Amino acid sequence: MFESAEVGHRIADREYKRAVTKLREDLLKAQYDLISRKSFQLIVLTGGVDGAGKSETVNVLNEWMDPRGISTHAFGAMSEDERERPKMWRYWCALPPKGRMAILFGAWDADPIAERVHGDTDEAEFELALGNIVGFERMLANEGALILKFWFHLSKKAQKKRLKALSSDPKTRWRVTDAEWERFEHYDRYRKVSEIAVRETSTSYAPWMIVEGTDANYRYLTVGRMLLEAMRKRLAGKKPVITRTAVLPPPPLDGRSLLSQVDYRASLGDSEYKRMLEKYQRELNLLMRHKKLRRKSIIAVFEGVDAAGKGGSIRRVTGALDARQYQVIPIAAPTDEESARPYLWRFWRHLPRKGRMTIFDRSWYGRVLVERVEKLCAEDDWMRAYEEINDFEEQLIEANCVVTKFWLTISKQEQLKRFRAREKTPFKTFKITRDDWRNRAKWDDYERAVGDMIERTSNRPAPWILVPGNDKHWARISVLKTLCERIDAAL
Amino acid sequence: MFESAEVGHRIADREYKRAVTKLREDLLKAQYDLISRKSFQLIVLTGGVDGAGKSETVNVLNEWMDPRGISTHAFGAMSEDERERPKMWRYWCALPPKGRMAILFGAWDADPIAERVHGDTDEAEFELALGNIVGFERMLANEGALILKFWFHLSKKAQKKRLKALSSDPKTRWRVTDAEWERFEHYDRYRKVSEIAVRETSTSYAPWMIVEGTDANYRYLTVGRMLLEAMRKRLAGKKPVITRTAVLPPPPLDGRSLLSQVDYRASLGDSEYKRMLEKYQRELNLLMRHKKLRRKSIIAVFEGVDAAGKGGSIRRVTGALDARQYQVIPIAAPTDEESARPYLWRFWRHLPRKGRMTIFDRSWYGRVLVERVEKLCAEDDWMRAYEEINDFEEQLIEANCVVTKFWLTISKQEQLKRFRAREKTPFKTFKITRDDWRNRAKWDDYERAVGDMIERTSNRPAPWILVPGNDKHWARISVLKTLCERIDAAL
């Protein structure tokens, strides 16, 4: 597939100069449109062989366009902070907000290729990694990003010539180190692996565009024009929606659902509750100080029906811990910085380091719960979220994170009782708003959404724990006990 | 001064229990007021001797209040990311937004004490560090933060007893390591140094409150009540304004100002410009790849009159660099996350790592320019900003950062010419708005503000470079040349 980039494309200087003036102006215009409309973010990935002109081209783009609207990131060895999070975390953090453009060197596309070339992964792992990239980029595209990927190619002969030329010029000698020559030794293998990667991660929404790297004029003009065309097309049209066909099953004919079957009878008396609270809080405290926990992180997600007792349960968990070990993230409306990025970004930024716990009071599941029921996002958007969430949690688990998700539920009758009690207690009135009554009116819609959510996102490594909460004692102990068991099993 | 915390304060269990129920409720109420009003942020610092109950007390506060509104941070050894920025950077990053509370263990108060105890600093350096803390906390208070500092004290005898008790109990033994015993050996010196620090950093806006640590009941109740009282007082009243009396000199009687004296005659012809552009861009490129630069970072600030050519100058600088080395930060209106924190926060977050350059297109000087002239902040606020900015830049310089500030200026006549040209060129109309004309009408006010700014914030390590910009060539070469000289001198 790289043959088309070995034909010796060339643009004469005169033609180049004539074309560039207009191209620069057009690119700048398109960029200002992007900046002023803030309708999407532009992500440019660069890949390819050493010496094929990646960094020169990026510098030229920064020269042609306004560098104030562009961030350029190169990814080398991981820092401490990065090693303590999922592999993808540093790329997540580098994603630009809407209205801006980011150029990424050696981002998520580079790792699977390098690992396969060095034999660190087998073919199945390589294929899996490529599949993950396709899924990740599909999510980005669906979240509004315009993704362009440029692959800079040189034939083996051309690369050798280029590396030699670079190393014989004192001004560029520093760029060709042993690492470059070592990679050149693997040219054939690198090419073979890259071909597979480029083919399998080229999609309609994030295509690789192969650019012959021999002639600078050709290279710059080609990249500039492809960039311009893609930006113009997107600025003129709408965000394309790319979903896999996914269908939810219809509601069951007999009206029975997971939630309607919950048994609320279990309860705990005062003294039994006290005893067990002490027991499991002590256990959780010891577990969190376990030596092996230094290599794990913990995420606990709390979702549930309004007034089911999320806050009370969270406080029984934090009551067991040292305040320096955990962070509770209450999820409210997104800030403007959060709204300008993919919806998972506001959770990515709070992922715990090793040895720590993050408790999410509401979470990324808002997309398939409130956003679905209240129609705050399109059906396509929440439908694709199941898969995106599963991908995200898979990455957490791969990064040694223990993920547990609690759904706290109470009966419709119990909710009414609690709402009324809140309205009467002056100290608790802040806890009951018109929203709560409105949500309650949509009880059945929520029940269906929760059923679908659990069916599609509960799995062994990141299970949903259904906690009946009519009896607060029982609910709190269930949460603590489960958390202990989950952490214990992971150590 | 610690004697008052060695008297054996004690609260009986019965009295404690009775008091706590009410206190918890009141604290929670105050916290919800804080969360819903978002009128200030609450910063709690904890200091004192080992074993005096710091962490227990913080855990109790997290239990009494809603942990969803609290972040707790402990600062240990610095990470890679932290070592590459000013010492204070990690504390800056931990500051909570308005509406939230942060509890900090061993933050900016701890370093000067530890360094002095270990003899890493002499008395003068210690005094300087304490002075910096006072200035930093004054800035935070003026920016709206409520700062409370709790010092947990134990007499030498009581500490010994406490450490022994902790190490003999298998459940708490892990908490007493050699480090704690080693620190105990230095008790007398630590106490002496701490007394000075506590005294000199106790201010009306950030007082240290000394708490005897022997009796848990006394400790919890004392801290809880002081916290409640301070929150209530602040929730009921207004933000206190704390400024040093600073007075600006009146405008000079003869109407002459720094800017009115600028000589705009210098210019560069096309061929000379091309030659010098190439020369200085090459030089800058080489300097940025210098080995010694790996231990430095570069900040270039661009401010100036509208249409003075900031953008063009910035592009000539970035044109010399590899896109991976720099970041251009255009300063627009603050996001809501930025508005919820001290005004310097939106610059803190973009500080470069070592080996990198950050270019600010407009900057923290907005406070003493547009915010002053347009009356976007109170006079007290911009008046105190000179000192705060100087403090901030001093810390950058201490962290091996090369700071250069360019003021690009053009004559009033030249500005008119450029505004008109922009209005006529379809491609440039986006560059001229009603704001520009409005600013132009306030030319004299801006001129005075710029004069005051340069007088108060230009200094040898972070100078203001006045660049006459009527001739664009001349201005661009001046900027490049100065930047080269500044970096060269620092290597």
Side-chain angles (χ1 to χ4, degrees):
Chain A
M1 86 189 305
F2 293 133
E3 292 79 0
S4 64
E6 293 180 351
V7 300
H9 289 293
R10 195 164 288 283
I11 304 272
D13 281 354
R14 236 179 97 185
E15 191 189 338
Y16 176 74
K17 273 192 189 153
R18 210 174 35 223
V20 157
T21 318
K22 178 85 175 75
L23 178 60
R24 289 180 73 153
E25 197 173 302
D26 289 344
L27 274 172
L28 212 44
K29 253 192 228 171
Q31 189 188 10
Y32 286 123
D33 269 0
L34 170 66
I35 290 172
S36 59
R37 290 201 226 160
K38 291 191 176 57
S39 51
F40 62 93
Q41 56 275 87
L42 175 53
I43 301 171
V44 175
L45 259 59
T46 64
V49 304
D50 292 322
K54 279 194 290 285
S55 56
E56 288 90 338
T57 308
V58 170
N59 288 340
V60 161
L61 287 181
N62 268 284
E63 207 186 306
W64 288 352
M65 300 170 81
D66 192 329
R68 291 176 289 188
I70 307 176
S71 315
T72 308
H73 301 268
F75 300 95
M78 281 196 182
S79 75
E80 271 168 56
D81 278 356
E82 291 167 352
R83 278 192 300 271
E84 298 204 14
R85 266 90 172 194
K87 268 187 180 181
M88 291 289 288
W89 187 72
R90 56 182 181 159
Y91 310 128
W92 295 337
C93 294
L95 295 176
K98 286 176 181 164
R100 283 184 67 89
M101 168 175 174
I103 304 180
L104 311 182
F105 280 86
W108 55 84
D109 54 302
D111 300 332
I113 295 175
E115 284 163 5
R116 183 72 190 117
V117 169
H118 295 118
D120 299 334
T121 50
D122 63 24
E123 208 178 308
E125 289 166 324
F126 179 52
E127 290 294 331
L128 191 66
L130 299 182
N132 286 341
I133 287 178
V134 171
F136 177 62
E137 291 175 348
R138 185 170 57 235
M139 183 271 281
L140 291 181
N142 273 321
E143 286 292 299
L146 173 60
I147 308 167
L148 295 172
K149 307 189 291 191
F150 294 104
W151 188 271
F152 293 83
H153 180 74
L154 284 180
S155 69
K156 194 171 183 176
K157 215 171 114 189
Q159 193 189 13
K160 193 171 184 179
K161 205 172 134 193
R162 175 93 176 121
L163 290 180
K164 276 196 174 160
L166 285 172
S167 29
S168 63
D169 183 342
K171 274 199 288 182
T172 55
R173 193 177 291 154
W174 60 278
R175 288 182 45 192
V176 184
T177 66
D178 288 350
E180 275 74 24
W181 283 117
E182 203 197 298
R183 276 200 291 273
F184 176 72
E185 290 300 309
H186 295 112
Y187 182 96
D188 294 325
R189 179 150 178 78
Y190 180 78
R191 177 179 176 137
K192 204 175 129 197
V193 171
S194 298
E195 269 194 348
I196 300 172
V198 166
R199 193 176 60 234
E200 298 199 6
T201 60
S202 273
T203 55
S204 62
Y205 47 88
W208 276 110
M209 289 166 289
I210 299 166
V211 182
E212 180 165 344
T214 331
D215 181 61
N217 289 351
Y218 174 80
R219 197 165 65 203
Y220 301 152
L221 222 49
T222 303
V223 170
R225 283 200 173 138
M226 287 199 276
L227 184 61
L228 177 65
E229 198 194 339
M231 286 177 80
R232 277 187 168 167
K233 207 168 138 192
R234 180 60 188 280
L235 284 163
K238 281 203 311 180
K239 176 194 113 182
V241 177
I242 316 107
T243 39
R244 292 218 192 150
T245 37
V247 184
L248 285 180
L253 291 174
D254 64 357
R256 281 183 157 198
S257 72
L258 197 62
L259 289 186
S260 69
Q261 299 300 304
V262 173
D263 183 349
Y264 291 104
R265 284 168 304 181
S267 70
L268 276 178
D270 278 357
S271 67
E272 182 70 357
Y273 169 66
K274 266 194 190 160
R275 201 181 58 76
M276 292 181 79
L277 183 65
E278 203 181 308
K279 172 177 150 71
Y280 288 112
Q281 285 195 330
R282 195 187 322 115
E283 194 175 318
L284 184 58
N285 183 284
L286 286 171
L287 283 165
M288 284 298 289
R289 287 197 273 114
H290 196 288
K291 260 193 185 169
K292 284 194 187 159
L293 200 93
R294 287 182 211 156
R295 299 178 52 203
K296 299 264 171 194
S297 59
I298 315 287
I299 287 182
V301 169
F302 286 83
E303 293 275 2
V305 173
D306 290 324
K310 287 199 306 295
S313 294
I314 289 173
R315 289 169 68 159
R316 296 320 177 284
V317 172
T318 58
L321 306 174
D322 188 282
R324 290 166 287 194
Q325 291 183 306
Y326 66 83
Q327 229 197 333
V328 187
I329 305 294
I331 297 301
T335 65
D336 50 11
E337 294 191 31
E338 290 169 342
S339 301
R341 289 174 170 97
Y343 77 99
L344 286 171
W345 190 79
R346 59 189 177 126
F347 311 105
W348 289 337
R349 63 197 303 215
H350 294 297
L351 296 184
R353 308 188 69 132
K354 299 272 187 280
R356 308 279 177 93
M357 183 189 293
T358 299
I359 295 168
F360 286 97
D361 179 10
R362 304 201 187 275
S363 69
W364 43 96
Y365 285 98
R367 186 141 271 217
V368 296
L369 296 170
V370 59
E371 290 188 49
R372 166 183 175 177
V373 173
E374 302 293 339
K375 299 191 174 30
L376 302 176
C377 68
E379 181 169 332
D380 282 330
D381 288 331
W382 61 259
M383 279 290 284
R384 66 180 159 86
Y386 297 114
E387 194 183 332
E388 290 162 4
I389 287 172
N390 284 333
D391 284 349
F392 168 47
E393 292 180 358
E394 208 178 289
Q395 295 183 63
L396 291 175
I397 289 148
E398 239 175 58
N400 262 328
C401 184
V402 182
V403 182
T404 311
K405 302 173 297 201
F406 295 101
W407 180 263
L408 271 67
T409 181
I410 47 177
S411 63
K412 208 169 167 181
Q413 209 181 347
E414 174 69 19
Q415 190 187 46
L416 187 64
K417 217 175 88 191
R418 291 191 187 177
F419 277 14
R420 294 219 167 117
R422 285 181 175 187
E423 286 184 326
K424 276 179 205 145
T425 316
F427 172 52
K428 289 191 169 175
T429 44
F430 74 91
K431 279 179 139 188
I432 179 94
T433 64
R434 215 173 292 173
D435 276 354
D436 294 314
W437 287 107
R438 224 165 34 94
N439 292 345
R440 181 172 163 79
K442 297 191 175 166
W443 183 278
D444 294 342
D445 294 338
Y446 274 102
E447 200 163 276
R448 186 163 176 222
V450 173
D452 289 337
M453 171 186 83
I454 293 179
E455 190 178 308
R456 297 186 162 236
T457 60
S458 196
N459 50 60
R460 219 173 243 277
W464 272 107
I465 312 294
L466 208 62
V467 182
N470 278 16
D471 182 76
K472 285 185 179 175
H473 289 171
W474 177 268
R476 291 169 185 172
I477 298 300
S478 298
V479 165
L480 273 169
K481 188 163 171 272
T482 306
L483 211 48
C484 287
E485 286 165 0
R486 297 268 311 146
I487 298 173
D488 190 39
L491 294 180
Chain B
M1 89 189 302
F2 292 134
E3 292 79 1
S4 64
E6 293 180 352
V7 300
H9 289 294
R10 195 164 288 283
I11 303 272
D13 282 354
R14 237 179 97 184
E15 191 190 337
Y16 175 75
K17 273 192 188 153
R18 210 174 36 224
V20 157
T21 317
K22 178 82 176 75
L23 178 61
R24 290 180 72 152
E25 197 173 300
D26 289 344
L27 274 171
L28 213 44
K29 252 191 227 172
Q31 189 188 10
Y32 285 123
D33 270 359
L34 171 66
I35 290 173
S36 60
R37 290 202 225 160
K38 291 191 176 55
S39 50
F40 62 94
Q41 57 273 86
L42 176 52
I43 301 171
V44 176
L45 258 59
T46 64
V49 304
D50 292 323
K54 280 194 290 282
S55 56
E56 288 91 337
T57 308
V58 171
N59 289 339
V60 161
L61 288 181
N62 268 283
E63 206 186 307
W64 287 353
M65 299 170 80
D66 192 328
R68 292 176 290 189
I70 307 177
S71 315
T72 307
H73 300 268
F75 300 94
M78 281 196 182
S79 75
E80 272 168 54
D81 279 355
E82 292 167 351
R83 277 192 301 271
E84 298 203 14
R85 267 90 171 194
K87 267 187 178 181
M88 292 290 288
W89 187 72
R90 56 182 181 158
Y91 310 128
W92 294 338
C93 295
L95 295 178
K98 286 177 181 166
R100 283 184 68 88
M101 168 174 173
I103 304 180
L104 311 182
F105 280 87
W108 56 84
D109 54 304
D111 300 333
I113 295 176
E115 285 163 6
R116 183 73 190 115
V117 169
H118 294 119
D120 299 335
T121 49
D122 61 25
E123 210 179 307
E125 290 167 324
F126 179 52
E127 290 294 330
L128 191 67
L130 298 182
N132 287 340
I133 288 179
V134 171
F136 177 62
E137 291 176 348
R138 184 171 57 234
M139 182 270 281
L140 291 180
N142 273 321
E143 285 293 299
L146 174 59
I147 308 167
L148 296 172
K149 308 191 288 192
F150 294 105
W151 188 271
F152 293 83
H153 180 74
L154 284 180
S155 69
K156 194 170 184 179
K157 215 171 114 187
Q159 192 190 12
K160 193 170 185 181
K161 204 172 136 191
R162 174 92 176 123
L163 290 179
K164 276 195 173 161
L166 285 171
S167 29
S168 63
D169 183 341
K171 274 200 287 183
T172 54
R173 192 177 293 154
W174 60 278
R175 288 182 45 192
V176 185
T177 66
D178 288 349
E180 276 74 23
W181 283 116
E182 202 197 300
R183 275 199 292 274
F184 176 72
E185 292 301 309
H186 295 111
Y187 182 95
D188 294 324
R189 177 151 178 79
Y190 180 78
R191 177 180 177 137
K192 204 177 130 197
V193 171
S194 298
E195 270 194 348
I196 301 171
V198 165
R199 193 177 60 235
E200 298 199 5
T201 61
S202 273
T203 55
S204 61
Y205 46 87
W208 276 110
M209 288 165 289
I210 298 167
V211 182
E212 179 165 345
T214 332
D215 180 60
N217 289 352
Y218 175 80
R219 197 167 64 205
Y220 301 152
L221 223 48
T222 302
V223 170
R225 282 200 174 139
M226 286 198 278
L227 184 61
L228 176 65
E229 199 197 337
M231 288 178 78
R232 277 186 169 168
K233 208 169 137 192
R234 179 61 188 279
L235 283 162
K238 282 204 309 182
K239 176 193 113 182
V241 177
I242 316 107
T243 40
R244 292 216 191 152
T245 37
V247 184
L248 285 181
L253 290 175
D254 63 357
R256 283 181 156 201
S257 72
L258 197 61
L259 290 185
S260 68
Q261 299 300 304
V262 173
D263 182 349
Y264 290 104
R265 284 168 303 180
S267 71
L268 275 178
D270 278 356
S271 66
E272 181 69 357
Y273 170 65
K274 265 194 189 159
R275 202 181 57 77
M276 292 183 81
L277 183 65
E278 204 180 308
K279 171 177 151 73
Y280 288 112
Q281 284 195 331
R282 196 188 320 114
E283 193 176 319
L284 184 59
N285 183 285
L286 287 171
L287 283 166
M288 283 299 289
R289 286 197 275 112
H290 196 288
K291 258 193 185 169
K292 284 194 188 160
L293 201 93
R294 286 183 211 156
R295 298 177 55 203
K296 298 265 172 195
S297 58
I298 315 289
I299 288 183
V301 169
F302 285 84
E303 294 276 2
V305 172
D306 290 325
K310 287 198 308 293
S313 294
I314 290 173
R315 288 169 69 160
R316 296 319 175 284
V317 172
T318 59
L321 306 174
D322 187 282
R324 290 166 287 193
Q325 291 184 306
Y326 67 84
Q327 226 195 340
V328 187
I329 306 294
I331 297 301
T335 67
D336 49 12
E337 294 190 32
E338 290 169 342
S339 302
R341 288 174 171 98
Y343 75 99
L344 286 170
W345 189 78
R346 58 189 178 124
F347 311 104
W348 289 338
R349 64 197 303 215
H350 294 297
L351 297 184
R353 307 189 68 132
K354 298 272 187 284
R356 309 278 178 92
M357 184 189 292
T358 298
I359 295 167
F360 287 96
D361 179 11
R362 304 200 185 274
S363 70
W364 43 94
Y365 285 99
R367 187 141 270 218
V368 296
L369 296 170
V370 58
E371 289 188 51
R372 166 183 175 176
V373 173
E374 303 293 339
K375 299 190 174 29
L376 301 175
C377 69
E379 182 172 332
D380 283 330
D381 288 332
W382 61 259
M383 278 290 285
R384 65 180 160 87
Y386 297 113
E387 193 183 333
E388 290 161 4
I389 287 173
N390 284 332
D391 284 349
F392 169 47
E393 292 180 359
E394 205 178 292
Q395 294 182 65
L396 292 175
I397 288 149
E398 238 175 61
N400 261 328
C401 183
V402 182
V403 181
T404 311
K405 303 172 296 199
F406 294 102
W407 180 263
L408 271 68
T409 182
I410 47 177
S411 64
K412 209 170 168 183
Q413 208 181 346
E414 175 68 18
Q415 190 187 47
L416 187 65
K417 215 174 92 191
R418 292 192 187 176
F419 276 14
R420 292 220 168 117
R422 283 180 176 186
E423 284 183 331
K424 274 179 205 147
T425 317
F427 172 52
K428 289 191 168 175
T429 45
F430 74 90
K431 278 179 140 189
I432 179 95
T433 65
R434 213 172 296 172
D435 277 354
D436 293 315
W437 288 107
R438 223 164 36 95
N439 291 345
R440 181 173 164 78
K442 297 191 175 166
W443 183 277
D444 294 341
D445 295 338
Y446 274 102
E447 201 164 275
R448 182 159 181 225
V450 174
D452 289 337
M453 172 187 83
I454 293 180
E455 188 178 309
R456 297 186 161 237
T457 61
S458 196
N459 48 61
R460 216 173 245 279
W464 272 107
I465 312 294
L466 208 61
V467 182
N470 277 16
D471 182 75
K472 284 185 181 178
H473 289 172
W474 177 268
R476 291 169 187 172
I477 297 302
S478 298
V479 165
L480 274 169
K481 186 162 171 271
T482 306
L483 212 47
C484 288
E485 286 165 359
R486 298 269 311 147
I487 298 173
D488 190 39
L491 295 179

